[in-house]
Amino acid sequence: GAGVSQSPRYKVTKRGQDVALRCDPISGHVSLYWYRQALGQGPEFLTYFNYEAQQDKSGLPNDRFSAERPEGSISTLTIQRTEQRDSAMYRCASSFSGMRSNEQFFGPGTRLTVL
Amino acid sequence: AQSVAQPEDQVNVAEGNPLTVKCTYSVSGNPYLFWYVQYPNRGLQFLLKYITGDNLVKGSYGFEAEFNKSQTSFHLKKPSALVSDSALYFCAVRDILNSGNTPLVFGKGTRLSVIA
């Protein structure tokens, strides 16, 4: 079956531009998570959704970052006025439900480079 | 606050030998513990998890992990390493008892290199 997909896989942008990163979770998965992973580090939580509701956005670093999941399936992470420090791998994951015991299934990630 | 420590950046082991990748954790309550593996240019893949019950958990590809509450550890093990096991391994924890959402917290990863 299809896993979590993310697009684009690679994004190079100039400082100050806006970017939108897309995540398509596993069909039927209720919960969707966004993480950011710097080189040499583990993924760090950004935000998560149950269905279309954003349950926790405490990990978003500042108000340039936002996310939505309007129909409870595909999600978009938007970064406005990008800065070089935003360069990282952005990973999306989904799980069957929001239960803490559920494992999360990760997509391949979007490598963002801000010049 | 939750945290995970993977004390080794790199582990080298000869093919056929047993391997151990170490992980210790800190949570205020009881933990849910997970191991993930990352191959080059691919997403993280789930290996195994500890929720409750038997302290020895078996997972994918012959891997297992032992939950040790007194030592707050969840080391990943395999009796006989394969070259194809070479990858980046992440340990992760979630606190069971805190109200509200507690995100999955990852360690910084350990690179396993299995030498033929």
Side-chain angles (χ1 to χ4, degrees):
Chain A
V4 178
S5 62
Q6 291 185 246
S7 61
R9 293 289 308 274
Y10 302 91
K11 177 70 176 179
V12 179
T13 190
K14 292 183 178 180
R15 185 180 54 181
Q17 297 294 307
D18 299 350
V19 296
L21 312 180
R22 172 185 164 126
C23 173
D24 197 345
I26 293 172
S27 178
H29 276 194
V30 166
S31 298
L32 185 148
Y33 304 81
W34 283 99
Y35 293 86
R36 181 167 68 174
Q37 185 175 8
L39 205 59
Q41 300 296 321
E44 292 185 346
F45 170 79
L46 294 176
T47 184
Y48 103 97
F49 295 82
N50 277 343
Y51 300 101
E52 72 282 358
Q54 191 170 20
Q55 299 291 327
D56 184 348
K57 55 181 181 179
S58 63
L60 296 176
N62 52 61
D63 60 8
R64 295 187 297 106
F65 287 73
S66 62
E68 63 175 8
R69 193 186 184 197
E71 298 179 359
S73 179
I74 292 169
S75 176
T76 302
L77 177 70
T78 301
I79 309 173
Q80 295 179 312
R81 305 180 303 281
T82 52
E83 301 177 3
Q84 287 184 329
R85 59 179 172 159
D86 299 334
S87 297
M89 177 72 82
Y90 289 83
R91 296 195 184 275
C92 173
S94 68
S95 65
F96 180 72
S97 78
M99 288 180 62
R100 298 177 191 184
S101 58
N102 286 162
E103 59 268 31
Q104 297 175 18
F105 296 87
F106 283 80
T110 295
R111 169 76 64 190
L112 174 66
T113 302
V114 183
L115 302 177
Chain B
Q2 308 166 108
S3 65
V4 173
Q6 293 182 243
E8 302 154 316
D9 291 337
Q10 174 94 29
V11 170
N12 298 319
V13 63
E15 188 176 30
N17 282 2
L19 70 86
T20 299
V21 182
K22 296 179 179 177
C23 171
T24 58
Y25 66 90
S26 175
V27 294
S28 55
N30 288 318
Y32 290 142
L33 292 155
F34 303 81
W35 275 101
Y36 286 83
V37 60
Q38 182 179 335
Y39 297 102
N41 298 317
R42 296 176 66 178
L44 279 74
Q45 295 180 30
F46 169 75
L47 274 180
L48 51 79
K49 66 181 179 182
Y50 171 80
I51 302 301
T52 187
D54 195 350
N55 289 343
L56 185 63
V57 178
K58 294 188 182 296
S60 308
Y61 313 120
F63 283 93
E64 57 189 29
E66 186 167 11
F67 172 62
N68 187 317
K69 187 172 183 179
S70 63
Q71 297 185 3
T72 61
S73 67
F74 190 56
H75 301 331
L76 181 70
K77 300 182 180 183
K78 187 173 181 180
S80 179
L82 301 173
V83 172
S84 58
D85 293 329
S86 299
L88 190 56
Y89 290 82
F90 291 96
C91 181
V93 67
R94 282 181 103 168
D95 195 331
I96 294 177
L97 293 180
N98 280 351
S99 62
N101 177 51
T102 57
L104 192 59
V105 174
F106 286 84
K108 64 179 182 178
T110 298
R111 186 164 299 281
L112 173 67
S113 180
V114 181
I115 304 161

